[in-house]
């Protein structure tokens, strides 16, 4: 379901070309939720002419950029899942027959919803429950695949794939201002630090 990736990228304002993939849904101690909980429900303006709506059954995006309004509904499914672990929500999403990507979600005391994503593969190599399967880097305009992580200015990280399920401690380390992608505010607006 390619639309899931497209929706998450546009709705959550992710501009990076890098990806961290997982062969299993995350995290290890997570419980899959069949509905999106009440504290995550709402509607937010995510762009000048874009709206994101989280409903019990999934996510809807509305785009007013063209002559016709485009509404895309993405229900919780085998390619879009929500897990909860240790008070943290994790959206797992993928295209069919592809590995999973994750978005970490934490509700703040004021009701705002913070969205986090860490695209540094070094973080995940510290989790003994995860195993690096492959990494891809761009070198002089060519993408090269490796079995380990590379260092050096000539290597531009593109993606990494891990097997296993991360511990909640790794999940918690993703929640910091450096990894903050977007804030869905209680007033129905959204804010992305990357727009500054």
């Amino acid at each position: 379901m390619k639309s899931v990736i497209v929706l998450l990228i546009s709705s959550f304002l992710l501009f990076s070309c890098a990806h961290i993939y997982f062969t299993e849904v995350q995290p290890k101690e997570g419980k899959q939720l069949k509905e999106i909980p009440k504290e995550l429900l709402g509607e937010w303006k995510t762009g000048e002419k874009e709206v994101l709506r989280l409903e019990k059954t999934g996510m809807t995006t509305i785009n007013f950029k063209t002559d016709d309004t485009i509404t895309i509904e993405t229900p919780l499914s085998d390619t879009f899942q929500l897990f909860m672990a240790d008070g943290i929500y994790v959206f797992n999403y993928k295209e069919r027959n592809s590995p999973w990507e994750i978005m970490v979600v934490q509700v703040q005391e004021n009701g705002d919803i913070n969205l986090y994503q860490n695209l540094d593969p070094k973080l995940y190599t510290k989790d003994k429950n995860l195993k690096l399967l492959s990494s891809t880097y761009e070198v002089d305009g060519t993408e090269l695949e490796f079995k380990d992580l590379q260092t050096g200015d000539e290597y531009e990280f593109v993606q990494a794939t891990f097997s296993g399920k991360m511990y909640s401690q790794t999940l918690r380390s993703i929640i910091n201002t450096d990894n903050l992608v977007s804030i869905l505010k209680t007033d129905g607006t959204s804010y992305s630090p990357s727009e500054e």
Side-chain angles (χ1 to χ4, degrees):
M1 181 181 287
K2 188 169 183 153
S3 64
V4 172
I5 302 297
V6 173
L7 289 172
L8 284 167
I9 288 171
S10 63
S11 298
F12 295 154
L13 305 171
L14 300 176
F15 297 110
S16 175
C17 296
H19 297 275
I20 300 291
Y21 294 110
F22 302 94
T23 57
E24 293 88 18
V25 292
Q26 301 299 322
K28 180 177 176 60
E29 299 94 357
K31 175 186 175 191
Q32 185 176 1
L33 303 179
K34 300 298 182 195
E35 291 184 340
I36 295 180
K38 186 176 180 180
E39 66 181 345
L40 295 181
L41 302 180
E43 182 174 294
W44 299 271
K45 187 174 179 181
T46 57
E48 191 173 310
K49 296 183 179 182
E50 295 171 349
V51 171
L52 167 69
R53 184 181 302 143
L54 289 175
E55 303 158 310
K56 276 183 166 184
T57 57
M59 175 176 69
T60 300
T61 59
I62 305 167
N63 186 322
F64 302 101
K65 287 185 179 177
T66 62
D67 293 338
D68 297 320
T69 300
I70 300 170
T71 302
I72 302 174
E73 295 179 1
T74 307
L76 293 175
S77 65
D78 59 343
T79 58
F80 183 54
Q81 298 181 12
L82 179 62
F83 282 73
M84 183 176 188
D86 200 20
I88 300 170
Y89 297 103
V90 182
F91 278 110
N92 287 263
Y93 54 95
K94 70 174 186 167
E95 295 180 35
R96 292 206 185 279
N97 303 318
S98 296
W100 294 94
E101 292 186 73
I102 64 170
M103 178 71 63
V104 178
V105 180
Q106 186 178 50
V107 179
Q108 304 301 298
E109 286 184 23
N110 67 356
D112 288 351
I113 300 169
N114 288 4
L115 308 172
Y116 301 90
Q117 190 173 53
N118 184 295
L119 300 174
D120 182 357
K122 293 176 200 157
L123 169 75
Y124 304 103
T125 59
K126 295 174 184 175
D127 189 317
K128 294 181 185 196
N129 217 36
L130 295 174
K131 178 183 178 190
L132 177 67
L133 298 178
S134 67
S135 63
T136 304
Y137 292 83
E138 186 175 308
V139 180
D140 296 327
T142 303
E143 287 190 5
L144 303 173
E145 188 171 320
F146 299 93
K147 293 290 182 191
D148 54 4
L149 299 181
Q150 304 299 305
T151 57
D153 293 339
E154 69 274 20
Y155 296 100
E156 183 179 337
F157 177 72
V158 175
Q159 69 183 36
T161 302
F162 292 86
S163 65
K165 292 191 171 197
M166 74 178 71
Y167 290 110
S168 292
Q169 181 179 3
T170 303
L171 196 61
R172 285 212 162 278
S173 67
I174 295 172
I175 298 175
N176 68 58
T177 55
D178 292 338
N179 299 323
L180 183 62
V181 175
S182 189
I183 301 172
L184 304 177
K185 302 179 86 44
T186 56
D187 65 3
T189 62
S190 66
Y191 164 76
S192 177
S194 63
E195 292 178 337
E196 294 181 339

